[in-house]
Amino acid sequence: MAIFPRSGIRFSAPAMVLAVGLVLIGGSSSGLAAEPSPQDGHPIHGRLTRQEFQNSKRVAPEKDGALGDAAHGSDRYDMLRHTLALKIDPDAKFISGSVDFEFASLVDDLQIVVLDLTATLQVDSVTGGGGDLSFTHDADSLSIVLPAALQMNEEGSIQVHYSGYPQEPTWDRGLMFKVHNDVDGITGSIPIVANLSEPAYAKYWWPCKDKPGDKALSEVSITAPDGLIGISNGTLISEGPAAEAGWNTNVWREDYPIASYLVSVAVSDYQLIESVCVTDLGNDLGYDIPLKNWVFPYHYEAALVDFEPLCEMMNLCEEWFGPYPFRGEKYGHAEFIWWGAMEHQTVTSIGTSSIHGDGSSDWLIVHELGHQWFGDHLTPKNWRDIWLNEGFATYSEALWREHLGGHELYLATLEAGRNESSWTQQGPVYDPVPVFPGGVIYDKGAWILHMLRGRLGDGPFFSLLDEWGRQGGRTSEVVGSGDYIGYQVTTEEFIALTEIYAGEDLDGFFGPYLEETNLPEIIFTKEIGDGTSGANTRLSISLRQVQNVAFDNVFPVVVTTVAGVETRSLRLEQELAQAEWDFADPILKVELDPEHWVLWKPAQGISTVEGITRLFPNPSRGNLLNLRFYLEQPAPVVLRVFDAAGREIFSQDLGLIVPEPGFNEVSWNQKDHSGAGLASGVYWATLEFRGFRSVKKFAIVH
Ligand SMILES: [Zn+2]
């Protein structure tokens, strides 16, 4: 299994290093773009844009400890099953209930079981082994002392009884008590209680192991006031009046392992739209999929329109990604008040702002459906792999558009999602901080798949998607329930599977696109000359990448001759690739990647004229100056520095410089001939070679 490198091949090393040595430029910048976020307003009747959607899960900075409990030892046991019984009182904004946990020890002598639970909820008691257990509950951790230590693989069970007024950890997260009505959707009086737990806000409404890496079987029982119904994951196994008059209880069972962040409750006065979807695969294999959409009563008609394509989307997703992962259970939606949607397993929570009755939320509906494979079925072991969720779900949007409008619309959808300046600000695709930095994990993630499609070709690419979607890179598909632990996947596993389909090592592709924040910068040169078939039939091209980390790409080169259009490809793996191709007919036009199958940009600020191309930092603080320069051929080079009065204050013979592909670079410690530092001011650096002098100005500011 290939583990992709933390960084790719670095090149463009300077031919000469002066006083303080070489400094390679690069690294990554991360930070939050000042983009509109839902916190700026809550326009219930607005129309959710893709950018708002991609920012909707963003919370920054991540609250301390929000990503769970790595420190406190919940890795010492394997959660097998949780049975959650919750009474939800929307008027009082109060919950009470219990969770039964079954787990297996992963160590010998497991004495203490640690769960995540916010300190704002009250643990009333913990029981197990026929009696009360002692526990401590502080700092969002619940530590329970088992009646007897468990040995490796030994199973145990405990029950936590708790209650309280759930607090949202931050705006619109955790368990949200809201109201809706049919007037303006804001000032109503009908309750809607629903959760948003990703990435680590489940502990704000139920005790759990609040991390994605340990899936378990689950049962959720929701007791709600009559007139409201509770919706959850999996299959409804019982419904009816609760013991207490005026209340009803719905019990749901999820027979496929589920991550804590995907456990869902949604309580309101829902109306149900249901149908049965028979897909092509289901028809062959003998299953159908109940589609169930719970919406606010006044959205019934609109939802009929918006969810109409759902079965068609299901059919396509099965074609692309393999059979619906939760066969035997439903798929559908429960409406909630949120500026976005959340892919809860078998029952996506969909924001009320996305039901319009005009089909305009199709991209969102197919995105969330894609998550049933990518996120819910194939759950990341760790949040660093979040692009395996969002990049793939976003790619579902492009495939849907391709289905609707063909190749051109597919390409246009990818192109519309391209936003390099935001991506650069948001940081890397892999291991982003925060977990949801914005569009980079969505759109750049989808572009990585798009690029793989271009590189592998449709046949291998769709086989790869299908195998990944079915079995997440396992050698065989895992089926069944019981102790079935569910699929937990990593980026390394996806790369390993991709390399099998590609038949080559792809570290040089994945590494930089996942971990660098910039795109490759390409200098493309072409020359048409006389070839074996006559005038203008020979094409000489070169591709040079000039950024610091090499990206391994295969570029399509589209050549138009008098006879037609022909596409050839050139692999640029290191810094330079060249080719000479003969054509049967005269060449009219040559284009590099005109359809945009590769994420790249033309080199900026890189000259193909010999001499200094860049001085940095500028202004500097008087301790280091880097000179980047370009040479066509080897030459003796002399560096000189002049002050504002024209005096030469430093010079050094750099000797014979052999051109590096891309550019050369030297660093100077900004000390003069006598070794003294320089005062603030304006200076000029010159490089002399073959009788030329290349001059650039710089400033020192102390
Ligand atoms: Zn998503």
Side-chain angles (χ1 to χ4, degrees):
M1 180 173 68
I3 304 291
F4 58 92
R6 287 299 302 179
S7 61
I9 306 150
R10 292 196 177 263
F11 63 96
S12 74
M16 167 73 62
V17 178
L18 295 182
V20 291
L22 158 71
V23 176
L24 277 172
I25 320 93
S28 63
S29 65
S30 66
L32 293 170
E35 292 172 88
S37 81
Q39 283 90 335
D40 298 336
H42 197 177
I44 293 295
H45 288 301
R47 202 168 288 259
L48 180 75
T49 67
R50 288 183 78 254
Q51 192 187 38
E52 287 164 341
F53 169 64
Q54 293 178 356
N55 285 322
S56 66
K57 288 182 186 169
R58 191 176 68 180
V59 175
E62 224 98 61
K63 286 174 69 72
D64 286 347
L67 292 188
D69 51 12
H72 72 35
S74 70
D75 288 337
R76 292 162 59 82
Y77 64 91
D78 177 21
M79 190 70 82
L80 301 177
R81 177 190 293 271
H82 31 70
T83 304
L84 172 57
L86 206 55
K87 181 182 175 189
I88 297 177
D89 185 338
D91 292 336
K93 301 184 178 179
F94 183 81
I95 62 172
S96 58
S98 65
V99 188
D100 290 16
F101 296 99
E102 295 169 29
F103 54 92
S105 181
L106 295 175
V107 296
D108 282 332
D109 294 321
L110 179 72
Q111 188 70 61
I112 293 174
V113 164
V114 183
L115 294 163
D116 298 298
L117 181 66
T118 177
T120 58
L121 292 174
Q122 163 92 26
V123 177
D124 302 313
S125 68
V126 181
T127 55
D132 281 344
L133 303 182
S134 67
F135 63 89
T136 55
H137 182 206
D138 49 34
D140 296 349
S141 274
L142 176 61
S143 299
I144 298 156
V145 181
L146 297 176
L150 295 181
Q151 303 310 309
M152 174 81 92
N153 297 328
E154 218 179 321
E155 295 185 11
S157 69
I158 49 178
Q159 299 80 44
V160 177
H161 306 268
Y162 73 110
S163 59
Y165 299 89
Q167 304 296 306
E168 293 183 18
T170 181
W171 189 84
D172 268 8
R173 297 297 190 283
L175 191 66
M176 301 171 280
F177 288 84
K178 296 175 186 282
V179 291
H180 77 85
N181 72 358
D182 57 355
V183 179
D184 59 12
I186 302 171
T187 56
S189 58
I190 299 166
I192 160 65
V193 184
N195 70 291
L196 196 300
S197 300
E198 192 183 25
Y201 304 120
K203 61 176 159 285
Y204 289 88
W205 61 281
W206 65 289
C208 60
K209 193 193 271 197
D210 200 4
K211 56 206 302 192
D214 185 6
K215 295 163 85 167
L217 300 178
S218 177
E219 192 173 299
V220 176
S221 155
I222 306 168
T223 298
D226 285 347
L228 308 179
I229 56 168
I231 310 303
S232 187
N233 316 93
T235 305
L236 183 65
I237 56 172
S238 77
E239 58 183 327
E244 189 178 345
W247 296 74
N248 71 91
T249 301
N250 279 4
V251 181
W252 297 84
R253 194 180 64 221
E254 177 52 88
D255 288 325
Y256 294 91
I258 180 172
S260 302
Y261 80 94
L262 295 169
V263 172
S264 169
V265 292
V267 175
S268 195
D269 64 335
Y270 289 122
Q271 276 194 15
L272 171 62
I273 298 171
E274 58 182 329
S275 60
V276 173
C277 180
V278 181
T279 59
D280 295 341
L281 256 180
N283 199 36
D284 290 348
L285 300 176
Y287 64 86
D288 52 35
I289 303 166
L291 300 182
K292 295 177 188 281
N293 299 299
W294 289 271
V295 298
F296 302 152
Y298 52 87
H299 269 160
Y300 186 88
E301 296 297 331
L304 281 176
V305 175
D306 288 338
F307 293 126
E308 194 277 327
L310 188 55
C311 186
E312 186 182 0
M313 290 172 176
M314 182 68 81
N315 196 45
L316 288 162
C317 281
E318 288 199 329
E319 193 179 293
W320 303 322
F321 313 137
Y324 178 57
F326 310 114
R327 295 180 294 287
E329 301 182 351
K330 68 176 186 296
Y331 180 67
H333 300 77
E335 188 171 357
F336 74 156
I337 295 184
W338 203 69
W339 193 241
M342 178 63 214
E343 64 271 21
H344 295 128
Q345 190 160 313
T346 74
V347 59
T348 286
S349 296
I350 187 165
T352 196
S353 50
S354 294
I355 298 179
H356 297 288
D358 60 5
S360 61
S361 295
D362 62 335
W363 61 274
L364 180 68
I365 293 170
V366 79
H367 176 107
E368 301 301 326
L369 179 58
H371 270 309
Q372 298 300 310
W373 282 259
F374 309 114
D376 297 7
H377 171 51
L378 306 176
T379 305
K381 268 193 184 133
N382 190 294
W383 292 120
R384 71 175 71 99
D385 299 306
I386 185 64
W387 81 279
L388 295 177
N389 290 13
E390 299 302 350
F392 284 66
T394 303
Y395 192 67
S396 309
E397 300 173 40
L399 291 177
W400 168 248
R401 288 289 154 89
E402 183 175 26
H403 166 74
L404 294 179
H407 185 65
E408 295 304 318
L409 190 57
Y410 166 79
L411 293 174
T413 303
L414 268 303
E415 202 58 28
R418 182 172 171 156
N419 192 342
E420 285 145 38
S421 57
S422 287
W423 295 350
T424 301
Q425 288 178 314
Q426 290 163 6
V429 172
Y430 179 75
D431 202 6
V433 178
V435 172
F436 289 97
V440 67
I441 59 169
Y442 293 79
D443 287 321
K444 193 175 173 187
W447 263 88
I448 289 173
L449 295 177
H450 171 61
M451 288 192 283
L452 284 174
R453 180 177 177 180
R455 182 166 183 152
L456 271 60
D458 274 10
F461 174 75
F462 281 101
S463 297
L464 164 68
L465 264 194
D466 179 85
E467 183 174 346
W468 179 251
R470 282 172 193 261
Q471 59 202 54
R474 306 301 188 273
T475 50
S476 63
E477 208 166 337
V478 179
V479 292
S481 56
D483 289 332
Y484 159 44
I485 57 165
Y487 290 86
Q488 304 270 184
V489 292
T490 62
T491 299
E492 287 86 349
E493 288 172 312
F494 179 67
I495 293 173
L497 185 66
T498 305
E499 287 177 336
I500 292 171
Y501 281 90
E504 60 181 342
D505 183 294
L506 290 173
D507 284 353
F509 168 80
F510 279 109
Y513 279 113
L514 288 171
E515 303 201 52
E516 296 294 315
T517 58
N518 294 313
L519 301 183
E521 296 176 48
I522 306 295
I523 297 171
F524 173 49
T525 61
K526 60 197 174 194
E527 209 177 295
I528 299 169
D530 298 344
T532 49
S533 305
N536 298 329
T537 59
R538 174 165 295 170
L539 174 63
S540 305
I541 63 168
S542 79
L543 293 176
R544 188 188 292 276
Q545 52 184 334
V546 300
Q547 74 291 345
N548 287 317
V549 174
F551 288 60
D552 173 1
N553 277 307
V554 177
F555 283 87
V557 180
V558 178
V559 179
T560 306
T561 69
V562 295
V565 177
E566 197 177 317
T567 300
R568 300 205 180 176
S569 59
L570 183 59
R571 181 174 185 179
L572 178 62
E573 190 180 5
Q574 302 293 329
E575 49 281 347
L576 178 69
Q578 292 169 303
E580 201 168 79
W581 294 322
D582 275 331
F583 291 80
D585 301 286
I587 298 160
L588 299 174
K589 189 166 74 172
V590 181
E591 296 166 285
L592 180 66
D593 189 24
E595 287 197 327
H596 301 173
W597 284 97
V598 178
L599 271 180
W600 64 280
K601 60 184 179 184
Q604 298 289 323
I606 300 291
S607 179
T608 51
V609 177
E610 288 186 300
I612 302 173
T613 57
R614 198 172 162 223
L615 290 179
F616 63 98
N618 187 14
S620 75
R621 304 188 66 83
N623 46 21
L624 182 73
L625 185 72
N626 302 292
L627 292 90
R628 193 174 276 189
F629 60 99
Y630 177 66
L631 287 179
E632 290 282 354
Q633 48 189 281
V637 177
V638 176
L639 166 68
R640 294 184 206 281
V641 182
F642 299 88
D643 67 10
R647 289 185 295 256
E648 182 192 290
I649 56 165
F650 178 80
S651 70
Q652 183 159 344
D653 186 343
L654 304 182
L656 182 73
I657 299 277
V658 177
E660 296 285 331
F663 49 80
N664 291 62
E665 197 171 294
V666 292
S667 298
W668 168 52
N669 66 359
Q670 295 191 324
K671 296 206 183 331
D672 67 13
H673 284 304
S674 69
L678 301 179
S680 294
V682 174
Y683 296 87
W684 281 264
T686 72
L687 285 185
E688 295 166 11
F689 52 93
R690 291 196 309 272
F692 293 104
R693 174 181 279 190
S694 170
V695 184
K696 267 220 167 9
K697 187 166 83 173
F698 66 98
I700 294 177
V701 179
H702 287 290

